[in-house]
Amino acid sequence: MLLIARLIILAVLLFLAFVFVMFFCLLRPMHRNNVHVVAKIFSSVAPVLGIKVITRVHPVSDMPQPCIYLANHQNNFDLFTHTSAVPKGTVSLGKKSLAWMPLFGQIYWLSGNILIDRKNRHSAFDTMAKTVEKMKTKLLSVWIFPEGTRSRGRGLLPFKVGAFHTAIAAQVPVVPVLASCQNHIKLNRWNNGVVIVEMMTPMPTEGLTKNDVKAFSAEVHETMSARLVELNKEALALNQAVKN
């Protein structure tokens, strides 16, 4: 019964959110803060799913300096957890195919997000070059899931290097963002416990070149992997404390 009720409530809330956001983005298409507003709306749905999100942001998110946020990508619940940490002046990078999804795709595009055709190498490079230019001229930050796919409880998957090429080309810092394990979330359970979303200390790219991409990518992956283990332990302890 809870599952059915929650699905109905979730469907209604998402439909209303989509309608509101569609009109909102039509009034100011491609605005630099559209993604931030949309993210706040989706993150507000977390309590409906029985999720308590603890968000820890870094002061860098309040500064005008552009950067690249690198977030771990677990499952569809990222839409309600990671979104709590999306700062102003930030857009995300997504697959070009998203544009064809009814409602969501149109909102994603109107919000000002960047669409990339990963199957077309030349097009992808051109998109990333334009992204670097936008970051420099418009002081936009970019939110990227460097794993390129959902991990679904398999830990932090290997990173694709596109985000690191972009960060180094723009000479902007990389800011890791981690959400603790979300495998415990079930729609037929009233209380789905705690998910911690943490924005880590920025990792600078000044002085790095394209020859440093692989090494820098490995360093960031190692740093994020180690912190994710710690966050998972902390979240697990909090969830166990609630049960007791």
Side-chain angles (χ1 to χ4, degrees):
M1 181 63 71
L2 176 60
L3 175 61
I4 296 174
R6 184 169 272 159
L7 286 174
I8 292 173
I9 294 172
L10 185 60
V12 171
L13 288 177
L14 288 179
F15 176 76
L16 293 175
F18 279 134
V19 172
F20 170 79
V21 170
M22 178 67 80
F23 281 105
F24 180 79
C25 291
L26 282 172
L27 290 174
R28 56 176 209 179
M30 312 300 177
H31 190 280
R32 62 182 286 107
N33 291 328
N34 279 355
V35 176
H36 168 75
V37 173
V38 174
K40 289 301 179 187
I41 291 173
F42 281 104
S43 66
S44 68
V45 177
V48 177
L49 304 178
I51 309 169
K52 179 181 179 181
V53 180
I54 299 175
T55 309
R56 301 166 182 166
V57 297
H58 192 278
V60 71
S61 63
D62 293 324
M63 298 179 183
Q65 178 191 15
C67 56
I68 288 187
Y69 295 98
L70 296 182
N72 62 323
H73 192 15
Q74 298 181 63
N75 48 39
N76 290 337
F77 292 116
D78 290 333
L79 185 62
F80 310 107
T81 56
H82 263 304
T83 45
S84 66
V86 176
K88 292 181 179 179
T90 302
V91 297
S92 70
L93 187 71
K95 296 181 294 185
K96 191 175 182 179
S97 58
L98 287 174
W100 300 103
M101 292 181 63
L103 279 179
F104 180 83
Q106 291 71 55
I107 290 172
Y108 190 84
W109 176 70
L110 281 170
S111 297
N113 292 299
I114 300 169
L115 295 167
I116 184 170
D117 185 358
R118 293 196 179 110
K119 295 180 180 179
N120 186 323
R121 186 177 179 85
H122 176 75
S123 175
F125 273 114
D126 183 57
T127 299
M128 298 312 289
K130 290 179 181 177
T131 299
V132 170
E133 188 62 26
K134 283 185 179 180
M135 294 182 73
K136 291 179 177 179
T137 59
K138 298 184 178 181
L139 298 181
L140 275 178
S141 293
V142 183
W143 187 286
I144 299 176
F145 293 106
E147 296 162 286
T149 188
R150 299 174 181 84
S151 61
R152 301 190 186 281
R154 292 172 288 171
L156 198 64
L157 301 181
F159 288 165
K160 298 184 182 300
V161 296
F164 301 94
H165 275 290
T166 304
I168 290 174
Q171 289 290 280
V172 298
V174 161
V175 182
V177 185
L178 290 167
S180 61
C181 182
Q182 300 174 166
N183 287 343
H184 62 284
I185 300 174
K186 299 183 184 302
L187 293 179
N188 62 350
R189 182 164 54 198
W190 184 258
N191 186 353
N192 279 303
V194 171
V195 172
I196 303 172
V197 178
E198 180 175 284
M199 188 178 292
M200 299 172 64
T201 302
M203 301 179 70
T205 62
E206 287 89 347
L208 298 182
T209 69
K210 61 182 180 181
N211 294 326
D212 300 308
V213 165
K214 287 187 177 180
F216 183 55
S217 172
E219 179 187 355
V220 175
H221 190 281
E222 182 179 355
T223 300
M224 291 179 67
S225 293
R227 184 55 184 155
L228 182 58
V229 171
E230 296 172 353
L231 279 182
N232 286 340
K233 288 180 180 178
E234 182 183 354
L236 180 60
L238 288 171
N239 287 326
Q240 289 178 337
V242 171
K243 289 181 181 179
N244 295 333

